[in-house]
């Protein structure tokens, strides 16, 4: 990616109109797709590209009549109304009812049209890792429901489905084929001599990379990046890639609009390299994007790559665009890799900011984010089914600051998962704790500001450029689920509680619970946000450095409508120093029911503001 200077925070913002939304749906023609696919297959399978292209075109023809554009040609891919929920299919349960049906009814009754989409985490039959060790890719776990339940969810809102593409369960039929030495699974996995030097391979786990397996041909050792129940698939065999393309298209046919490429960074293996982010991996993502844009324009691909920030950004494919393309406001450049990436830096950096009371690192990072080309956006989140990854902090915070977060998480009842490093000691990989409890206090210990601090973290996430995704357990202020860790025996269970609907409804209805206070505060913010054009994912963002006590940025639409976000990140009252371009204006705070803003009045601890000029009327909506 070309070196880019962050915007100068001291520069006054221009009121000039900016370009309109650039995220438009443009399906590829048949000829353009064929040329692009051939180029990519020459990278992936140089000796077999013509054969694989013919097979790919045959496969696509089988699905073409069952797919249609999800967004009309020339229409925006997204808007300020895009707000997603992340949840397991059985996170809310009710006796005598399929959990997917319960989830659908709960979302309709409690959140209505606040949500544009829902990411239902792996809903397939599985053997471990709460769904990410898939046994059958084309089936719905009967304990959750069936494909009709999935389709009903997709009829009410957009649906994100996981393509668990790097590995499968050792209980799968493919693995049974491998053990028996029969096709197709016989060549679906990666055999290695156990004496092979794999020390250069980047690992997300401390376990051994090669796992022993007894087959009809004797003992074999297979590549297993994540666990001995999650066996990596051999994408050097084009049959595997074509199989997964068929699965991806099947998910789109069942109603999914967004496909999450799980652990895709580890897809391609080449000994002597790190086996992460290899050129073939990026070419596969680009090929999947081309297929989606061609057959079902408006459908979206999102890459899940919990890696350092610069590596994560590579999945936009920005390195193939010129600096002029990246800095242009005309939107002529069109990216060809992922539509979205998870903003993995945001969860740990927000946690660092709110527990240290210092916004400096967050301000510097946010100011460094490049302008994105057409058809790209960030997926912002603070919590998910996994822990809080800390690899994204590499190069942004010194190790001693990361270690301070580790100590804080231990103090607040959480755990830390480690990863292996070639030739050196294991290091922290993720913090296992509910995000609500991670904000129980600051480095000085617990304090009375947990709820305010947590709401501030979510308001920040909802305000940043991109599309927000809220984890169900963030909406419900779920504390650490220690019983789950003890029962399931793995650390991530601390943030994967299963609610009984009756219990959850009681908490939501009681004004004296954290669940009630957080849920209704966030629902109000989501209701306001979805009607405010400044929160369009393509609206310009400029970050201001106003000192360590505040995190401040503005969002500007292409018509020139402006909104200033400001957050006191400390546990003390502080007076907000307005940016120069906002000084002397009569302002109202959209978060405080459009009351006049007094620049001399101190902001409360962890108080956020959405400031607008009084002459600019916010949308007239009823907030329940």
């Amino acid at each position: 990616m070309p070196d880019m200077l962050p915007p100068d925070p001291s520069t006054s913002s221009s009121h000039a109109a900016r370009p309109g939304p650039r995220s438009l749906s443009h399906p590829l023609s048949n000829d353009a797709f064929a040329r692009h696919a051939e180029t990519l297959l020459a990278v992936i399978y140089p000796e077999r590209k013509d054969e694989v292209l013919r097979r790919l075109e045959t496969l696509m023809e089988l699905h073409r009549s069952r797919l249609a554009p999800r967004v009309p040609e020339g229409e925006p891919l997204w808007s300020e109304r895009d707000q997603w929920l992340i949840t397991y299919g059985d996170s809310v349960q009710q006796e005598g009812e399929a959990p997917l049906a319960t989830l659908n009814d709960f979302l309709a009754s409690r959140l209505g049209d606040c949500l544009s989409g829902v990411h239902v985490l792996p809903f397939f039959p599985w053997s471990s890792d709460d769904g990410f060790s898939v046994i059958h890719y084309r089936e719905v776990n009967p304990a959750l429901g069936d494909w009709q339940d999935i389709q009903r969810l997709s009829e009410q809102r957009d649906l994100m489905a996981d393509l668990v593409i790097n590995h499968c369960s050792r209980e799968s039929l493919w693995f049974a084929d491998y053990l028996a030495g029969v096709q197709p699974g016989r060549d679906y996995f990666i055999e290695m001599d156990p004496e092979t030097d794999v020390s250069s391979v980047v690992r997300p786990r401390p376990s051994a990379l090669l796992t022993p397996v007894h087959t009809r041909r004797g003992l074999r050792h297979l590549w297993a990046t994540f666990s001995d129940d999650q066996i990596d698939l051999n994408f050097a065999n084009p049959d595997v890639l074509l199989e997964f393309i068929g699965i991806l298209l099947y998910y789109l046919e069942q109603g999914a609009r967004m496909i999450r490429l799980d652990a895709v960074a580890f897809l391609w293996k080449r000994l002597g390299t790190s086996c992460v982010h290899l050129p073939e991996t990026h070419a596969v993502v680009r090929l999947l994007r081309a297929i989606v844009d061609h057959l079902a324009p408006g459908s979206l691909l999102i890459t899940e790559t919990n890696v350092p920030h610069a590596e994560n950004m590579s999945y936009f494919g920005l390195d193939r665009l010129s600096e002029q393309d990246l800095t242009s406001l005309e939107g002529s450049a069109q990216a060809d890799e992922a539509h979205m990436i998870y903003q993995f830096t945001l969860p740990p950096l927000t946690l660092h900011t709110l527990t240290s009371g210092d916004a400096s690192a967050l301000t510097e990072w946010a100011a460094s984010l490049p302008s994105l080309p057409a058809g790209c956006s960030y997926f912002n989140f603070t919590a998910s089914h996994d822990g809080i990854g800390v690899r994204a902090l590499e190069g942004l915070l010194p190790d001693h600051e990361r270690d301070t977060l580790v100590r804080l998480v231990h103090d607040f009842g959480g755990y830390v998962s480690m990863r292996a490093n070639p030739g050196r000691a294991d290091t922290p990989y993720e913090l296992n704790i509910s995000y609500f409890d991670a904000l129980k206090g600051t480095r000085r210990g617990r304090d009375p500001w947990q709820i305010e601090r947590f709401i501030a973290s979510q308001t920040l996430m909802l305000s940043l450029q991109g599309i927000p995704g809220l984890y169900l357990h963030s909406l419900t202020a779920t504390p650490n689920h220690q019983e789950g860790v003890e029962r399931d025996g793995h650390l991530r269970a601390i943030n994967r509680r299963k609610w009984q609907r009756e219990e959850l409804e009681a908490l939501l209805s009681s004004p004296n619970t954290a669940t009630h206070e957080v849920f209704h505060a966030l629902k109000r913010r989501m209701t306001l946000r979805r009607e405010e054009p400044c929160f369009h994912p393509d609206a310009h963002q400029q970050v201001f450095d106003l000192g360590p006590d505040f995190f401040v940025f503005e969002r500007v639409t292409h018509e020139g409508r402006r909104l200033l976000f400001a957050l006191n990140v400390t546990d003390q009252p502080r007076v907000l120093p307005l940016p120069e371009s906002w000084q002397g204006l009569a302002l109202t705070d959209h978060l405080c029911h459009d009351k006049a803003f007094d620049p001399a009045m101190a902001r409360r601890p962890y108080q956020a503001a959405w400031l607008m000029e009084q002459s600019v009327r916010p949308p007239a909506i009823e907030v329940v």
Side-chain angles (χ1 to χ4, degrees):
M1 182 168 57
D3 292 333
M4 297 183 61
L5 293 176
D8 181 0
S10 65
T11 303
S12 297
S13 174
S14 170
H15 287 264
R18 297 184 181 275
R22 299 168 297 139
S23 52
L24 305 179
S25 173
H26 293 295
L28 293 171
S29 68
N30 289 338
D31 289 344
F33 171 81
R35 289 192 301 270
H36 188 47
E38 184 176 20
T39 300
L40 296 173
L41 290 171
V43 175
I44 307 168
Y45 306 114
E47 304 300 323
R48 302 178 63 182
K49 62 181 178 63
D50 294 334
E51 169 215 339
V52 177
L53 179 59
R54 288 193 299 271
R55 293 173 62 191
L56 173 61
E57 290 175 332
T58 300
L59 174 64
M60 291 172 62
E61 282 304 313
L62 293 175
H63 291 269
R64 189 182 298 274
S65 64
R66 299 193 291 270
L67 292 167
R70 300 303 299 267
V71 175
E73 182 176 356
E75 290 296 311
L77 292 174
W78 41 62
S79 76
E80 61 272 15
R81 291 176 173 262
D82 282 284
Q83 303 179 129
W84 286 73
L85 182 75
I86 306 165
T87 181
Y88 279 102
D90 58 354
S91 289
V92 184
Q93 303 177 7
Q94 186 165 298
E95 187 175 354
E97 188 172 65
L100 287 170
T102 302
L103 174 65
N104 196 19
D105 185 68
F106 175 78
L107 297 181
S109 64
R110 280 290 181 176
L111 289 162
D113 58 5
C114 283
L115 294 173
S116 67
V118 57
H119 173 200
V120 181
L121 290 153
F123 45 79
F124 322 107
W126 55 276
S127 57
S128 64
D129 198 17
D130 285 347
F132 286 93
S133 186
V134 179
I135 297 175
H136 299 297
Y137 281 85
R138 297 174 187 264
E139 297 180 11
V140 174
N141 184 349
L144 299 178
D146 54 29
W147 280 115
Q148 287 186 331
D149 292 309
I150 292 295
Q151 291 160 1
R152 291 188 191 101
L153 276 166
S154 71
E155 290 167 0
Q156 302 303 315
R157 54 191 57 81
D158 288 336
L159 175 71
M160 186 193 305
D162 287 277
L163 189 66
V164 185
I165 194 170
N166 178 71
H167 50 262
C168 71
S169 168
R170 68 191 301 154
E171 295 183 20
S172 67
L173 292 178
W174 296 339
F175 197 71
D177 286 345
Y178 169 77
L179 294 178
V182 300
Q183 299 293 354
R186 168 62 183 85
D187 299 317
Y188 270 29
F189 304 95
I190 305 167
E191 291 184 356
M192 299 293 296
D193 185 320
E195 300 302 316
T196 302
D197 181 6
V198 293
S199 60
S200 61
V201 176
V202 168
R203 300 298 315 290
R205 299 287 186 273
S207 58
L209 177 64
L210 303 180
T211 188
V213 174
H214 292 279
T215 76
R216 289 188 178 180
R217 296 169 290 115
L219 182 66
R220 296 291 187 270
H221 289 77
L222 297 181
W223 198 294
T225 298
F226 291 91
S227 78
D228 60 5
D229 184 52
Q230 296 168 294
I231 312 300
D232 284 44
L233 290 148
N234 180 18
F235 277 85
N237 175 1
D239 294 349
V240 175
L241 177 59
L242 292 168
E243 180 71 48
F244 272 92
I245 291 171
I247 293 169
L248 184 156
L249 297 177
Y250 181 72
Y251 292 168
L252 294 177
E253 291 168 3
Q254 300 307 309
R257 186 196 173 195
M258 195 185 309
I259 302 297
R260 176 182 180 271
L261 301 179
D262 177 66
V264 69
F266 302 95
L267 191 74
W268 200 271
K269 284 74 174 175
R270 186 184 304 117
L271 289 176
T273 74
S274 65
C275 296
V276 63
H277 317 311
L278 294 185
E280 292 88 348
T281 294
H282 282 284
V284 168
V285 177
R286 294 172 67 196
L287 179 63
L288 297 181
R289 163 101 184 231
I291 292 168
V292 166
D293 284 350
H294 183 54
L295 289 184
S299 301
L300 305 171
L301 288 183
I302 181 169
T303 51
E304 187 266 336
T305 51
N306 186 1
V307 293
H309 174 67
E311 298 174 29
N312 187 28
M313 292 287 290
S314 72
Y315 285 87
F316 280 136
L318 301 185
D319 58 320
R320 290 183 299 279
L321 300 176
S322 68
E323 186 170 356
Q324 181 179 0
D325 286 335
L326 291 171
T327 57
S328 170
L329 291 176
E330 297 304 319
S332 58
Q334 180 72 44
D336 67 351
E337 204 159 332
H339 296 88
M340 284 190 277
I341 63 169
Y342 280 82
Q343 191 59 284
F344 275 104
T345 307
L346 188 60
L349 201 50
T350 299
L351 182 61
H352 160 78
T353 300
L354 293 173
T355 55
S356 68
D358 187 341
S360 301
L362 181 62
T363 296
E364 182 178 1
W365 166 75
S368 74
L369 295 175
S371 299
L372 295 181
C376 290
S377 187
Y378 302 109
F379 189 78
N380 296 321
F381 73 111
T382 58
S384 72
H385 60 293
D386 286 340
I388 303 165
V390 294
R391 288 217 64 202
L393 296 178
E394 294 176 18
L396 301 178
L397 285 183
D399 288 350
H400 72 84
E401 292 286 3
R402 178 204 63 197
D403 294 341
T404 297
L405 285 179
V406 168
R407 289 193 295 271
L408 179 140
V409 163
H410 282 142
D411 290 344
F412 294 162
Y415 308 93
V416 177
S417 297
M418 309 296 283
R419 76 180 187 96
N421 295 289
R424 57 191 177 94
D426 294 353
T427 53
Y429 178 70
E430 68 178 19
L431 312 175
N432 299 112
I433 190 170
S434 87
Y435 212 79
F436 181 63
D437 273 0
L439 291 165
K440 278 184 176 179
T442 68
R443 296 176 177 186
R444 295 189 298 274
R446 302 185 186 193
D447 62 23
W449 296 103
Q450 180 180 11
I451 291 177
E452 290 83 356
R453 191 181 292 112
F454 180 75
I455 292 173
S457 73
Q458 303 308 293
T459 307
L460 186 162
M461 182 270 295
L462 286 165
S463 306
L464 280 168
Q465 186 178 45
I467 294 173
L470 290 95
Y471 189 37
L472 176 72
H473 292 300
S474 292
L475 276 175
T476 57
T478 306
N480 291 334
H481 186 44
Q482 298 289 359
E483 298 89 342
V485 177
E486 296 168 5
R487 181 191 65 236
D488 299 340
H490 62 86
L491 301 182
R492 286 177 168 175
I494 198 169
N495 196 30
R496 298 178 178 179
R497 178 174 179 171
K498 311 297 183 186
W499 284 108
Q500 291 300 314
R501 184 171 183 179
E502 183 178 3
E503 177 188 8
L504 179 57
E505 294 283 7
L507 291 172
L508 289 171
S509 299
S510 172
N512 300 316
T513 66
T515 297
H516 174 94
E517 187 170 347
V518 167
F519 182 89
H520 289 282
L522 297 184
K523 181 179 178 181
R524 177 177 179 272
R525 283 155 174 75
M526 294 166 69
T527 302
L528 293 171
R529 182 192 177 282
R530 70 188 296 273
E531 301 295 337
E532 174 49 60
C534 288
F535 292 124
H536 192 293
D538 292 343
H540 177 71
Q541 177 172 290
Q542 179 175 349
V543 179
F544 299 96
D545 187 351
L546 302 178
D549 294 344
F550 284 91
F551 181 52
V552 182
F553 58 85
E554 71 175 1
R555 304 291 308 279
V556 186
T557 69
H558 68 283
E559 296 90 359
R561 181 184 179 93
R562 299 194 302 164
L563 179 147
L564 186 73
F565 172 85
L567 172 64
N568 177 4
V569 303
T570 78
D571 59 2
Q572 300 296 319
R574 292 285 189 266
V575 175
L576 170 65
L578 288 170
E580 181 180 346
S581 58
W582 287 81
Q583 293 175 11
L585 302 175
L587 303 174
T588 57
D589 187 346
H590 198 22
L591 274 178
C592 289
H593 306 281
D594 303 314
K595 292 181 180 178
F597 171 74
D598 181 356
M601 182 176 292
R603 310 299 291 174
R604 298 191 309 274
Y606 307 109
Q607 184 178 9
W610 287 346
L611 301 180
M612 304 186 75
E613 296 179 55
Q614 288 184 4
S615 59
V616 177
R617 297 183 63 84
I621 58 173
E622 179 181 355
V623 180
V624 180

